[in-house]
Every structure is written in structure tokens, then in C-alpha cells.
Amino acid sequence: NAGVTQTPKFQVLKTGQSMTLQCAQDMNHEYMSWYRQDPGMGLRLIHYSVGAGITDQGEVPNGYNVSRSTTEDFPLRLLSAAPSQTSVYFCASSYSVGVGEKLFFGSGTQLSVL
Amino acid sequence: QQPVQSPQAVILREGEDAVINCSSSKALYSVHWYRQKHGEAPVFLMILLKGGEQKGHDKISASFNEKKQQSSLYLTASQLSYSGTYFCGTGSGGSNYKLTFGKGTLLTVNP
């Protein structure tokens, strides 16, 4: 059982480049989300999805796009990378948004924007 | 709005106890606790769903005071493996929908 899989693990971009961070889960989870983690800031929610075809913004959505065409996949797109987007990105999922459902996290993607 | 955690960091010797607090300016319906070791993903510890609820996991337990809008995580007889950053998370209406995390508490347990 793979759980939540994120690729790539590391990425270096130049300012202005675009890229997609991949997230896939094999647990048939309804809820998926993206967080970024910066030193001293904790985990901040970027975007989330409560099911295929349904996405919404979190606390820090600017500069990021998401889509959810299947239950399994929830890619995060950086349209035009900026140094402020240098961070560690975590994808997380849970069976549902119901009370008591815990989040399962992927292993993270460390992104540097030069 | 992020919940506020205190302390920001704590250093213990093996066998000592620690308390990590999490408070919110909004009404709390549930509190999640996660631990993250350096370079790894956060891992779920426990969820507290009702005011006054207490849970335990090995020598790690937590309480939830709905009225005071706060939760506390208790680590007793700490082990080296307890080292890491602890995060509390609060959801909307008791679910994990839009779970918002505190900035974390770095716990270091030394031999």
C-alpha cells in the first residue's frame, strides 16, 4: 500500500518557470490538500479538494493552481515560479472531511526557486 | 487563523515530562495533533473531538478544553524517539476541512 506519493522529491526552478508537483493516493480518499511549510510558519493550506471536480482555495493560494480530474490525483501547478515560493510542499489526504478523519501526508517536495 | 502553540521550543532530558499547549481565538470543535521528525512528513498522533475529551497514546496524552478554546499535549517520561516538531491543527466545524495548523513546537530529548 503506497499511501500518498509525491513527485519529485527535489526541484530547482528559475524565476518565471512553470512546473507541476504531482500527488497521488491509492486509498480512495475523498479529501486531498496541499500545504507549504516554511521555517517558523508551520503548515499553511494552499488548496484543497473534497472530491473529483471540486477544488477550493486555502490560506495561501496565490500563484498556484490545482485540478482534480480523478479521485487519485491532485496536482499542484506553479504558473510562474517566484523566489517566495521556495518551500517544502506536502500533499495530504483523508478518507473524508468527516469528524475524526486524520490526514495522511506524502513525503514532501523540496522546491527552490532561484 | 492559525492556532497559537506554546512553547515554541523545549529541551528535555530523557525521562522528563513536557506539556505543549494549543489555543485558538475561534471556537474549537476538534483538535488534531501531529509529530514531524526532521526531513520527514508529519505523522498523525491523535484527534480530540469533544470538549473535555482526553486521549492517550503510549505515554503521550492530550486534553481538550472546549470552553477555554485550547488543547494540551502531555508527554510523560520522554524518550529519545519523542524528539521532533509537534503541530496542533484545528478544523472547521469539527471536521478536517481546511485544517489549520499552528507554527509548531520543537521538542528535543537528550540522553
Side-chain angles (χ1 to χ4, degrees):
Chain A
N1 192 348
V4 180
T5 302
Q6 288 184 238
T7 56
K9 289 194 182 302
F10 303 95
Q11 183 70 50
V12 179
L13 292 178
K14 292 182 180 177
T15 298
Q17 286 185 315
S18 63
M19 80 157 295
T20 300
L21 307 186
Q22 301 291 346
C23 175
Q25 51 88 11
D26 62 358
M27 298 174 283
N28 200 31
H29 281 180
E30 182 179 88
Y31 180 78
M32 296 185 75
S33 53
W34 277 101
Y35 288 88
R36 61 176 289 173
Q37 185 173 36
D38 303 294
M41 298 297 292
L43 294 151
R44 292 184 292 169
L45 182 64
I46 305 172
H47 284 285
Y48 63 93
S49 168
V50 297
I54 306 170
T55 64
D56 206 346
Q57 297 180 350
E59 303 169 65
V60 289
N62 292 341
Y64 307 95
N65 270 2
V66 292
S67 60
R68 183 116 179 253
S69 56
T70 67
T71 300
E72 294 78 20
D73 300 300
F74 191 44
L76 179 72
R77 296 182 187 85
L78 282 72
L79 305 174
S80 178
S84 61
Q85 293 179 305
T86 293
S87 187
V88 180
Y89 292 84
F90 287 101
C91 178
S93 71
S94 68
Y95 181 70
S96 75
V97 295
V99 171
E101 292 290 345
K102 65 183 182 181
L103 291 181
F104 293 80
F105 283 85
S107 57
T109 295
Q110 189 168 325
L111 176 69
S112 294
V113 183
L114 306 176
Chain B
Q1 193 168 3
Q2 280 184 301
V4 177
Q5 288 186 234
S6 63
Q8 290 184 326
V10 58
I11 300 174
L12 301 174
R13 289 211 178 274
E14 210 171 358
E16 292 181 336
D17 302 339
V19 179
I20 299 171
N21 299 303
C22 174
S23 63
S24 175
S25 58
K26 301 190 302 183
L28 287 179
Y29 299 94
S30 68
V31 179
H32 293 227
W33 285 97
Y34 292 78
R35 176 171 64 204
Q36 183 181 31
K37 293 189 178 285
H38 184 68
E40 299 180 7
V43 173
F44 171 79
L45 290 176
M46 65 188 77
I47 296 174
L48 298 102
L49 297 177
K50 293 182 288 187
E53 184 177 22
Q54 295 190 31
K55 280 200 171 180
H57 173 70
D58 195 8
K59 290 180 181 165
I60 301 174
S61 61
S63 64
F64 179 19
N65 188 321
E66 186 180 343
K67 199 169 182 180
K68 292 185 178 179
Q69 297 175 188
Q70 69 182 40
S71 175
S72 295
L73 188 72
Y74 306 94
L75 300 101
T76 58
S78 59
Q79 305 168 17
L80 297 177
S81 61
Y82 287 2
S83 291
T85 301
Y86 289 78
F87 293 98
C88 69
T90 58
S92 185
S95 73
N96 61 9
Y97 177 70
K98 297 180 74 171
L99 196 64
T100 302
F101 288 92
K103 293 184 178 180
T105 296
L106 177 61
L107 178 77
T108 304
V109 181
N110 292 321

